[in-house]
Amino acid sequence: MMRSKLFMPASRPELFAKALASDADALSFDLEDAVHESRKEEARRLLAGFLCSAEAADSRKTMIVRVNPVASVHFAADLDAVLQARVDLINLPKPQSPEEVRGAVAAIEGIERARGLQPRARLLINIESPLALRIAFQLSRAHTRVAGLQLGLGDLFEPLAIVRGNVAAVHAAMFATRMAAGEAGIFAYDAAFADIADMDGFRAEARRARDLGFLGKSCIHPSQVAVANEVFCPTAAEIAHAQKVVAAVAAAEVKGLGAYVVDGKMVDGPFLTRAAAVVAEARRLGLIA
């Protein structure tokens, strides 16, 4: 469950406890763009201290760390600092090739072996350049540790002078990312929305992502969390229909039917798969028993 992911600079420790107490499903600590070059080492130290705390260890939130790019002088130090505590996902920015992804995995595994750690951290790969978008599927299949693709529309659009308000452009990038993730059997995660004051715009973009099967949306401010949680939560009508579809399976199997009608709609295998996922998500969220 990762409907919302709250983003914060690793150099801002005063935000850590507040984020932990928030309603965000996941916390994403940034060691890359949000941290000035002069504070990289300090940020690593502050973040490592927090991740090693009992509060972080006991939290049910997904813990994510965005490290610096593999080719940067900071990458190895970033991994060394954070892979001594609970980290669920390493967010890999600006990937250049599948080989680079495999190199990141090798570095992670090397630290795990040296420290006697059980393999845990998986990779969340950023799709934030034309190159990454073009080879998104190859990045997805680079290694079994790749858990998901995360769209980065700011980095993708701004250098190309693509207007973020262009719904067709946003949809095209979302669709390409979702199809690559879907082919690889991993999740797709939506981009951050920079205009904190434009809650309607945030909600609209989140809904587009949900309609395309994205898992959730990045949040750069706590005020966005509630909206993301709401948008990426199955509705009462969706849950009720999904339960009917699942319940109808037994009767259909007795009759030897591969396709059947529920609520006036023809359903078969793919619809059952989706219905089962909706029911499972509703149970995880405590919406049904």
Side-chain angles (χ1 to χ4, degrees), residues 93-244:
K94 302 174 177 63
Q96 298 296 306
S97 67
E99 291 75 23
E100 187 177 85
V101 174
R102 288 189 283 270
V105 172
I108 292 170
E109 291 178 340
I111 293 174
E112 289 172 341
R113 285 193 299 270
R115 292 178 175 166
L117 302 174
Q118 290 296 317
R120 180 185 183 114
R122 302 187 70 193
L123 290 181
L124 176 59
I125 306 295
N126 280 6
I127 303 301
E128 53 188 347
S129 70
L131 169 63
L133 188 62
R134 177 168 57 82
I135 64 170
F137 173 68
Q138 290 92 325
L139 295 172
S140 301
R141 293 295 297 270
H143 197 276
T144 55
R145 285 229 196 186
V146 177
L149 300 179
Q150 177 172 268
L151 188 57
L153 290 176
D155 285 276
L156 180 61
F157 283 2
E158 290 300 320
L160 302 176
I162 298 175
V163 177
R164 181 68 171 266
N166 185 321
V167 175
V170 172
H171 183 276
M174 284 182 175
F175 187 79
T177 301
R178 182 67 183 99
M179 288 297 101
E183 185 177 359
I186 62 177
F187 69 79
Y189 209 81
D190 195 23
F193 190 83
D195 191 346
I196 298 169
D198 184 8
M199 201 59 68
D200 290 339
F202 178 88
R203 183 186 298 273
E205 193 169 272
R207 282 177 173 165
R208 281 192 286 274
R210 184 183 188 272
D211 287 348
L212 287 171
F214 278 65
L215 187 64
K217 188 163 183 62
S218 301
C219 304
I220 60 170
H221 191 273
S223 64
Q224 297 174 331
V225 169
V227 176
N229 286 347
E230 174 197 331
V231 170
F232 287 93
C233 183
T235 66
E238 288 170 336
I239 295 169
H241 177 72
Q243 288 177 308
K244 288 182 182 179

Side-chain angles (χ1 to χ4, degrees), residues 34-129:
V35 177
H36 190 272
E37 187 73 18
S38 64
R39 299 193 65 192
K40 297 285 190 183
E41 184 175 351
E42 176 192 9
R44 284 191 285 265
R45 175 177 53 79
L46 292 169
L47 179 56
F50 174 75
L51 292 174
C52 287
S53 69
E55 293 79 8
D58 293 340
S59 174
R60 298 181 64 181
K61 297 184 187 299
T62 301
M63 296 293 177
I64 305 169
V65 177
R66 183 168 79 171
V67 295
N68 286 276
V70 173
S72 75
V73 297
H74 298 290
F75 177 72
D78 288 349
L79 290 184
D80 184 64
V82 301
L83 291 178
Q84 55 182 312
R86 178 194 153 199
V87 176
D88 300 301
L89 291 168
I90 294 293
N91 182 202
L92 196 65
K94 302 174 177 63
Q96 298 296 306
S97 67
E99 291 75 23
E100 187 177 85
V101 174
R102 288 189 283 270
V105 172
I108 292 170
E109 291 178 340
I111 293 174
E112 289 172 341
R113 285 193 299 270
R115 292 178 175 166
L117 302 174
Q118 290 296 317
R120 180 185 183 114
R122 302 187 70 193
L123 290 181
L124 176 59
I125 306 295
N126 280 6
I127 303 301
E128 53 188 347
S129 70

